[in-house]
Amino acid sequence: MAKADQERRRARLSEILSLIAERPQFRRREIQFLCREATPGFVTQILKQLATEGILRAGAAGATDDDEHFLWTEEPQKFLRDDWIERQISGTQVTQIPSDERPRERLLELGARHLKNNELLAILIRSGVKGESAVQAGQKLSNQFSAQLDRLVDCSPQELKKISKAVSITAYCQIMAGIELGRRVESLIKEQRPKEKINSTRAAIDYCTRHFSRLAHDGRQEEFHIVTLDTKLQPIQSHQITIGTLDASLVHPREVFRAAIRDAASSILLVHNHPSGDPTPSRQDHEVTERLKRAGELVGIQVIDHIVVARDSAVSLAESS
Protein backbone atom coordinates (compact mmCIF):
# COMPACT_ATOMS: atom_id res chain seq x y z
CA MET A 1 0.00 0.00 0.00
CA ALA A 2 1.43 3.39 -1.02
CA LYS A 3 2.24 5.82 1.77
CA ALA A 4 -0.47 8.28 0.66
CA ASP A 5 -3.06 5.48 0.70
CA GLN A 6 -1.87 4.41 4.14
CA GLU A 7 -2.32 7.93 5.50
CA ARG A 8 -5.82 8.19 4.04
CA ARG A 9 -6.79 4.85 5.56
CA ARG A 10 -5.27 5.87 8.89
CA ALA A 11 -7.27 9.11 8.86
CA ARG A 12 -10.53 7.26 8.16
CA LEU A 13 -9.89 4.70 10.89
CA SER A 14 -8.90 7.39 13.39
CA GLU A 15 -12.06 9.37 12.62
CA ILE A 16 -14.34 6.37 13.22
CA LEU A 17 -12.58 5.28 16.43
CA SER A 18 -12.53 8.83 17.81
CA LEU A 19 -16.29 9.11 17.32
CA ILE A 20 -17.20 5.77 18.87
CA ALA A 21 -14.76 6.21 21.79
CA GLU A 22 -16.94 9.11 23.00
CA ARG A 23 -20.04 6.88 23.15
CA PRO A 24 -20.60 3.81 25.36
CA GLN A 25 -23.21 2.73 22.79
CA PHE A 26 -24.20 4.09 19.42
CA ARG A 27 -26.01 3.39 16.15
CA ARG A 28 -24.28 2.66 12.88
CA ARG A 29 -26.10 5.40 10.96
CA GLU A 30 -25.19 7.96 13.62
CA ILE A 31 -21.48 7.29 13.01
CA GLN A 32 -21.96 7.21 9.24
CA PHE A 33 -23.64 10.62 9.37
CA LEU A 34 -20.90 12.17 11.54
CA CYS A 35 -17.96 10.87 9.48
CA ARG A 36 -16.42 13.23 6.95
CA GLU A 37 -13.45 11.13 5.81
CA ALA A 38 -14.95 7.64 5.91
CA THR A 39 -17.72 6.48 3.56
CA PRO A 40 -20.83 4.75 4.99
CA GLY A 41 -19.68 1.44 3.56
CA PHE A 42 -16.27 1.76 5.20
CA VAL A 43 -17.92 2.61 8.55
CA THR A 44 -20.08 -0.52 8.32
CA GLN A 45 -17.03 -2.65 7.47
CA ILE A 46 -15.00 -1.36 10.45
CA LEU A 47 -17.84 -1.66 12.98
CA LYS A 48 -18.48 -5.24 11.91
CA GLN A 49 -14.77 -6.03 12.13
CA LEU A 50 -14.61 -4.60 15.68
CA ALA A 51 -17.63 -6.73 16.59
CA THR A 52 -16.05 -9.85 15.07
CA GLU A 53 -12.90 -9.26 17.14
CA GLY A 54 -14.99 -8.96 20.30
CA ILE A 55 -14.16 -5.29 20.88
CA LEU A 56 -17.77 -4.22 20.20
CA ARG A 57 -21.00 -6.12 20.67
CA ALA A 58 -23.72 -5.72 18.06
CA GLY A 59 -27.20 -5.11 19.46
CA ALA A 60 -30.54 -5.81 17.83
CA ALA A 61 -31.65 -3.83 14.79
CA GLY A 62 -34.21 -1.07 15.20
CA ALA A 63 -37.90 -1.87 15.02
CA THR A 64 -38.43 -0.12 11.68
CA ASP A 65 -35.07 -0.37 9.91
CA ASP A 66 -31.74 -2.15 9.83
CA ASP A 67 -29.86 0.51 11.81
CA GLU A 68 -27.74 -1.69 14.08
CA HIS A 69 -26.56 -0.43 17.41
CA PHE A 70 -23.25 -1.35 19.05
CA LEU A 71 -21.90 -1.43 22.60
CA TRP A 72 -18.33 -1.64 23.87
CA THR A 73 -17.48 -4.95 25.52
CA GLU A 74 -15.18 -3.10 27.94
CA GLU A 75 -14.42 0.53 28.81
CA PRO A 76 -13.46 2.42 25.60
CA GLN A 77 -10.39 3.99 27.23
CA LYS A 78 -8.88 0.51 27.67
CA PHE A 79 -8.94 -0.09 23.92
CA LEU A 80 -5.46 0.47 22.43
CA ARG A 81 -6.71 2.50 19.48
CA ASP A 82 -3.39 3.48 17.93
CA ASP A 83 -2.04 -0.09 18.10
CA TRP A 84 -5.22 -1.41 16.46
CA ILE A 85 -4.99 1.16 13.65
CA GLU A 86 -1.36 0.28 12.97
CA ARG A 87 -2.25 -3.39 12.73
CA GLN A 88 -4.85 -2.54 10.08
CA ILE A 89 -2.31 -0.49 8.15
CA SER A 90 0.74 -2.75 8.49
CA GLY A 91 -0.99 -6.11 8.67
CA THR A 92 -1.29 -8.60 11.52
CA GLN A 93 0.56 -11.63 10.21
CA VAL A 94 3.23 -12.57 12.73
CA THR A 95 6.01 -11.94 10.21
CA GLN A 96 4.81 -8.35 9.86
CA ILE A 97 4.83 -7.68 13.60
CA PRO A 98 8.08 -6.28 15.09
CA SER A 99 10.13 -9.19 16.48
CA ASP A 100 10.02 -7.87 20.05
CA GLU A 101 6.19 -7.97 19.93
CA ARG A 102 5.81 -11.51 18.56
CA PRO A 103 4.43 -13.97 21.13
CA ARG A 104 7.09 -16.66 20.65
CA GLU A 105 9.97 -14.19 20.79
CA ARG A 106 8.45 -12.58 23.90
CA LEU A 107 8.13 -16.00 25.55
CA LEU A 108 11.78 -16.81 24.84
CA GLU A 109 12.92 -13.43 26.13
CA LEU A 110 10.62 -12.96 29.13
CA GLY A 111 9.28 -16.40 30.01
CA ALA A 112 5.75 -17.79 29.61
CA ARG A 113 4.44 -16.32 32.86
CA HIS A 114 4.90 -12.77 31.53
CA LEU A 115 2.74 -13.31 28.43
CA LYS A 116 -0.93 -12.33 28.32
CA ASN A 117 -3.65 -14.91 27.69
CA ASN A 118 -4.06 -13.87 24.04
CA GLU A 119 -0.32 -14.33 23.40
CA LEU A 120 -0.26 -17.81 24.94
CA LEU A 121 -3.29 -18.79 22.87
CA ALA A 122 -1.65 -17.42 19.71
CA ILE A 123 1.37 -19.67 20.34
CA LEU A 124 -0.89 -22.71 20.80
CA ILE A 125 -2.89 -21.88 17.66
CA ARG A 126 0.49 -21.56 15.92
CA SER A 127 -0.58 -20.51 12.42
CA GLY A 128 -3.39 -18.49 10.94
CA VAL A 129 -5.47 -18.70 7.82
CA LYS A 130 -6.08 -16.26 4.99
CA GLY A 131 -7.49 -13.06 6.47
CA GLU A 132 -6.81 -14.00 10.11
CA SER A 133 -3.49 -14.55 11.85
CA ALA A 134 -2.79 -16.65 14.93
CA VAL A 135 -2.37 -13.38 16.84
CA GLN A 136 -5.87 -12.25 15.88
CA ALA A 137 -7.30 -15.67 16.70
CA GLY A 138 -5.64 -15.61 20.13
CA GLN A 139 -7.12 -12.17 20.79
CA LYS A 140 -10.61 -13.32 19.80
CA LEU A 141 -10.50 -16.32 22.14
CA SER A 142 -9.08 -14.19 24.94
CA ASN A 143 -11.87 -11.64 24.52
CA GLN A 144 -14.54 -14.34 24.44
CA PHE A 145 -13.31 -16.11 27.58
CA SER A 146 -11.72 -13.18 29.43
CA ALA A 147 -13.79 -13.67 32.60
CA GLN A 148 -13.94 -17.49 32.55
CA LEU A 149 -10.86 -18.89 30.84
CA ASP A 150 -11.54 -22.30 32.41
CA ARG A 151 -14.62 -22.64 30.14
CA LEU A 152 -12.29 -23.19 27.18
CA VAL A 153 -11.83 -26.84 28.14
CA ASP A 154 -15.55 -27.54 27.72
CA CYS A 155 -15.72 -26.19 24.16
CA SER A 156 -15.95 -28.39 21.08
CA PRO A 157 -13.85 -27.81 17.93
CA GLN A 158 -16.94 -26.39 16.22
CA GLU A 159 -17.58 -23.88 19.03
CA LEU A 160 -14.03 -22.50 18.88
CA LYS A 161 -14.15 -22.47 15.08
CA LYS A 162 -17.19 -20.16 15.27
CA ILE A 163 -15.15 -17.70 17.33
CA SER A 164 -12.11 -17.83 15.04
CA LYS A 165 -11.73 -19.54 11.69
CA ALA A 166 -8.00 -19.95 12.46
CA VAL A 167 -8.77 -22.59 15.12
CA SER A 168 -8.22 -25.70 13.02
CA ILE A 169 -8.49 -29.25 14.41
CA THR A 170 -4.73 -29.17 14.95
CA ALA A 171 -4.95 -25.85 16.82
CA TYR A 172 -7.87 -27.16 18.88
CA CYS A 173 -5.88 -30.25 19.90
CA GLN A 174 -2.88 -28.10 20.83
CA ILE A 175 -5.04 -25.82 23.02
CA MET A 176 -6.69 -28.77 24.81
CA ALA A 177 -3.35 -30.55 25.27
CA GLY A 178 -1.83 -27.36 26.70
CA ILE A 179 -4.71 -26.97 29.18
CA GLU A 180 -4.51 -30.62 30.30
CA LEU A 181 -0.72 -30.55 30.66
CA GLY A 182 -1.02 -27.40 32.75
CA ARG A 183 -3.59 -29.10 34.98
CA ARG A 184 -1.36 -32.13 35.51
CA VAL A 185 1.68 -30.00 36.34
CA GLU A 186 -0.38 -27.93 38.78
CA SER A 187 -1.74 -31.10 40.38
CA LEU A 188 1.78 -32.47 40.91
CA ILE A 189 2.95 -29.16 42.37
CA LYS A 190 0.03 -29.17 44.81
CA GLU A 191 0.73 -32.76 45.86
CA GLN A 192 4.39 -32.00 46.55
CA ARG A 193 3.72 -28.70 48.31
CA PRO A 194 3.19 -28.85 52.09
CA LYS A 195 -0.38 -27.99 53.04
CA GLU A 196 -0.39 -24.28 53.78
CA LYS A 197 -2.42 -22.62 56.49
CA ILE A 198 -4.05 -19.21 56.22
CA ASN A 199 -3.66 -18.37 59.89
CA SER A 200 -2.55 -14.74 59.66
CA THR A 201 -3.03 -11.61 57.59
CA ARG A 202 0.40 -12.11 55.99
CA ALA A 203 -0.46 -15.70 55.08
CA ALA A 204 -3.77 -14.57 53.55
CA ILE A 205 -2.07 -11.89 51.43
CA ASP A 206 0.69 -14.27 50.28
CA TYR A 207 -1.85 -16.95 49.36
CA CYS A 208 -4.02 -14.56 47.34
CA THR A 209 -1.01 -12.96 45.63
CA ARG A 210 0.04 -16.39 44.34
CA HIS A 211 -3.28 -18.04 43.60
CA PHE A 212 -5.07 -15.00 42.18
CA SER A 213 -2.16 -13.64 40.15
CA ARG A 214 -4.13 -13.89 36.86
CA LEU A 215 -7.01 -11.98 38.38
CA ALA A 216 -4.68 -9.28 39.72
CA HIS A 217 -2.80 -8.77 36.44
CA ASP A 218 -5.27 -9.66 33.67
CA GLY A 219 -8.69 -9.02 35.20
CA ARG A 220 -10.62 -6.42 33.20
CA GLN A 221 -13.62 -6.34 35.53
CA GLU A 222 -13.95 -6.75 39.26
CA GLU A 223 -14.43 -10.39 40.22
CA PHE A 224 -15.45 -11.61 43.66
CA HIS A 225 -14.19 -15.02 44.85
CA ILE A 226 -14.12 -16.96 48.09
CA VAL A 227 -11.60 -19.49 49.39
CA THR A 228 -13.16 -22.14 51.63
CA LEU A 229 -11.07 -23.34 54.59
CA ASP A 230 -11.16 -26.41 56.85
CA THR A 231 -10.91 -26.48 60.65
CA LYS A 232 -7.11 -26.18 60.39
CA LEU A 233 -7.42 -23.06 58.17
CA GLN A 234 -6.15 -25.03 55.17
CA PRO A 235 -7.64 -24.11 51.75
CA ILE A 236 -10.26 -26.50 50.40
CA GLN A 237 -11.39 -24.83 47.16
CA SER A 238 -11.87 -21.40 45.56
CA HIS A 239 -15.16 -20.27 43.99
CA GLN A 240 -16.03 -17.34 41.71
CA ILE A 241 -19.18 -15.68 43.06
CA THR A 242 -19.78 -12.55 40.95
CA ILE A 243 -18.31 -10.51 38.09
CA GLY A 244 -18.77 -6.73 38.03
CA THR A 245 -18.44 -3.77 40.37
CA LEU A 246 -18.53 -4.99 43.96
CA ASP A 247 -21.73 -3.90 45.67
CA ALA A 248 -23.37 -5.12 48.87
CA SER A 249 -26.71 -5.46 47.09
CA LEU A 250 -25.21 -7.76 44.41
CA VAL A 251 -23.04 -10.08 46.53
CA HIS A 252 -25.77 -12.16 48.15
CA PRO A 253 -24.83 -14.18 51.26
CA ARG A 254 -26.84 -17.10 49.91
CA GLU A 255 -24.46 -17.57 46.95
CA VAL A 256 -21.37 -17.13 49.13
CA PHE A 257 -22.36 -19.55 51.88
CA ARG A 258 -23.95 -22.10 49.54
CA ALA A 259 -20.46 -22.82 48.19
CA ALA A 260 -18.98 -22.82 51.71
CA ILE A 261 -21.62 -25.25 53.03
CA ARG A 262 -21.13 -27.54 50.03
CA ASP A 263 -17.39 -27.71 50.85
CA ALA A 264 -18.14 -28.32 54.55
CA ALA A 265 -15.98 -25.26 55.28
CA SER A 266 -15.26 -24.03 58.77
CA SER A 267 -14.36 -20.53 57.57
CA ILE A 268 -13.90 -18.54 54.36
CA LEU A 269 -11.54 -15.95 52.91
CA LEU A 270 -13.01 -13.27 50.64
CA VAL A 271 -11.01 -12.10 47.60
CA HIS A 272 -11.61 -9.60 44.82
CA ASN A 273 -9.53 -7.55 42.40
CA HIS A 274 -9.22 -3.87 41.52
CA PRO A 275 -8.49 -3.62 37.75
CA SER A 276 -7.43 0.02 38.29
CA GLY A 277 -4.25 -1.25 39.95
CA ASP A 278 -4.98 0.54 43.24
CA PRO A 279 -5.82 -2.02 45.97
CA THR A 280 -7.15 0.57 48.44
CA PRO A 281 -10.47 -0.80 49.79
CA SER A 282 -13.58 1.23 48.94
CA ARG A 283 -16.61 1.92 51.11
CA GLN A 284 -18.49 -0.79 49.19
CA ASP A 285 -15.69 -3.28 49.93
CA HIS A 286 -16.11 -2.67 53.66
CA GLU A 287 -19.91 -2.89 53.42
CA VAL A 288 -19.74 -6.25 51.63
CA THR A 289 -17.29 -7.57 54.21
CA GLU A 290 -19.42 -6.55 57.20
CA ARG A 291 -22.59 -7.96 55.64
CA LEU A 292 -20.96 -11.33 54.98
CA LYS A 293 -19.40 -11.43 58.45
CA ARG A 294 -22.85 -11.01 60.01
CA ALA A 295 -24.31 -13.69 57.74
CA GLY A 296 -21.40 -16.00 58.60
CA GLU A 297 -22.12 -15.68 62.30
CA LEU A 298 -25.67 -16.88 61.69
CA VAL A 299 -24.63 -20.01 59.79
CA GLY A 300 -21.52 -20.72 61.87
CA ILE A 301 -18.93 -20.05 59.16
CA GLN A 302 -16.39 -17.35 60.00
CA VAL A 303 -15.16 -14.77 57.50
CA ILE A 304 -11.48 -14.53 58.42
CA ASP A 305 -10.46 -11.68 56.08
CA HIS A 306 -11.11 -9.94 52.77
CA ILE A 307 -8.12 -9.44 50.45
CA VAL A 308 -8.07 -6.94 47.57
CA VAL A 309 -5.54 -7.89 44.88
CA ALA A 310 -4.13 -5.52 42.26
CA ARG A 311 -1.21 -5.53 39.82
CA ASP A 312 1.57 -4.60 42.22
CA SER A 313 0.21 -5.29 45.71
CA ALA A 314 -2.61 -6.67 47.83
CA VAL A 315 -4.41 -5.25 50.88
CA SER A 316 -6.18 -6.89 53.81
CA LEU A 317 -9.44 -5.27 54.92
CA ALA A 318 -8.85 -6.69 58.41
CA GLU A 319 -5.65 -4.60 58.58
CA SER A 320 -7.13 -1.50 56.98
CA SER A 321 -10.25 -1.31 59.18
Side-chain angles (χ1 to χ4, degrees):
M1 187 184 293
K3 189 171 182 180
D5 292 335
Q6 288 184 343
E7 290 307 313
R8 281 194 292 271
R9 183 174 175 82
R10 184 178 285 108
R12 292 197 298 268
L13 291 169
S14 182
E15 179 183 45
I16 294 170
L17 295 179
S18 295
L19 287 169
I20 67 175
E22 299 169 354
R23 298 162 170 81
Q25 56 181 301
F26 50 86
R27 290 195 170 275
R28 171 172 51 83
R29 289 186 179 175
E30 174 189 9
I31 304 304
Q32 289 174 330
F33 175 78
L34 293 171
C35 280
R36 295 291 174 264
E37 298 286 338
T39 64
F42 188 73
V43 171
T44 299
Q45 174 191 329
I46 296 306
L47 295 181
K48 287 186 175 180
Q49 180 178 341
L50 290 168
T52 299
E53 293 181 17
I55 297 163
L56 299 178
R57 184 171 74 251
T64 58
D65 54 38
D66 63 348
D67 187 13
E68 295 172 290
H69 78 267
F70 294 85
L71 304 87
W72 288 90
T73 57
E74 62 178 6
E75 296 176 11
Q77 56 267 33
K78 292 183 179 180
F79 175 52
L80 301 177
R81 184 176 71 182
D82 292 340
D83 290 351
W84 189 88
I85 290 174
E86 288 310 311
R87 288 201 300 274
Q88 311 316 303
I89 302 297
S90 305
T92 51
Q93 295 302 315
V94 172
T95 54
Q96 295 174 300
I97 299 174
S99 60
D100 61 348
E101 295 179 18
R102 298 175 194 170
R104 290 179 196 170
E105 281 76 0
R106 280 173 48 75
L107 185 148
L108 291 171
E109 181 183 354
L110 304 173
R113 71 177 57 190
H114 292 287
L115 269 63
K116 296 178 181 178
N117 291 338
N118 62 295
E119 294 175 306
L120 294 171
L121 287 165
I123 291 172
L124 290 170
I125 293 167
R126 192 173 177 181
S127 60
V129 294
K130 185 176 180 180
E132 187 164 301
S133 69
V135 172
Q136 288 175 306
Q139 187 63 62
K140 284 185 179 180
L141 292 185
S142 179
N143 289 340
Q144 183 73 21
F145 297 100
S146 60
Q148 295 174 298
L149 197 61
D150 56 328
R151 285 180 48 230
L152 255 175
V153 75
D154 298 320
C155 290
S156 66
Q158 294 76 20
E159 287 172 322
L160 294 190
K161 189 79 170 180
K162 285 181 181 178
I163 298 169
S164 169
K165 59 185 178 181
V167 183
S168 62
I169 291 297
T170 300
Y172 175 83
C173 291
Q174 287 167 175
I175 291 170
M176 294 302 152
I179 292 172
E180 181 56 30
L181 185 61
R183 280 180 166 180
R184 295 183 186 186
V185 170
E186 180 64 22
S187 178
L188 285 172
I189 291 172
K190 285 182 177 178
E191 287 176 9
Q192 295 167 6
R193 185 187 297 148
K195 267 284 192 179
E196 56 190 314
K197 293 184 178 181
I198 304 180
N199 54 6
S200 68
T201 297
R202 186 68 261 165
I205 290 175
D206 289 345
Y207 179 89
C208 292
T209 300
R210 291 195 307 276
H211 289 267
F212 293 92
S213 174
R214 179 205 64 80
L215 188 62
H217 290 86
D218 298 338
R220 297 180 179 181
Q221 300 183 71
E222 288 193 15
E223 294 183 27
F224 182 74
H225 297 243
I226 67 166
V227 179
T228 53
L229 308 168
D230 63 19
T231 54
K232 295 181 180 180
L233 296 176
Q234 297 176 144
I236 301 171
Q237 187 62 269
S238 62
H239 302 271
Q240 182 188 75
I241 305 299
T242 64
I243 300 175
T245 303
L246 201 64
D247 187 289
S249 65
L250 299 177
V251 181
H252 200 286
R254 179 179 60 245
E255 304 304 323
V256 171
F257 290 100
R258 176 185 291 149
I261 292 168
R262 189 168 60 243
D263 286 356
S266 175
S267 56
I268 60 173
L269 173 65
L270 313 179
V271 189
H272 86 281
N273 64 315
H274 279 182
S276 66
D278 180 0
T280 305
S282 67
R283 177 179 56 81
Q284 288 89 347
D285 297 345
H286 285 285
E287 288 176 356
V288 167
T289 306
E290 291 306 313
R291 186 183 186 202
L292 293 178
K293 279 185 176 179
R294 291 194 298 269
E297 290 171 1
L298 293 175
V299 298
I301 298 176
Q302 182 186 8
V303 175
I304 64 166
D305 205 340
H306 184 168
I307 306 298
V308 181
V309 295
R311 280 190 295 274
D312 300 320
S313 59
V315 169
S316 157
L317 268 76
E319 270 192 344
S320 64
S321 298

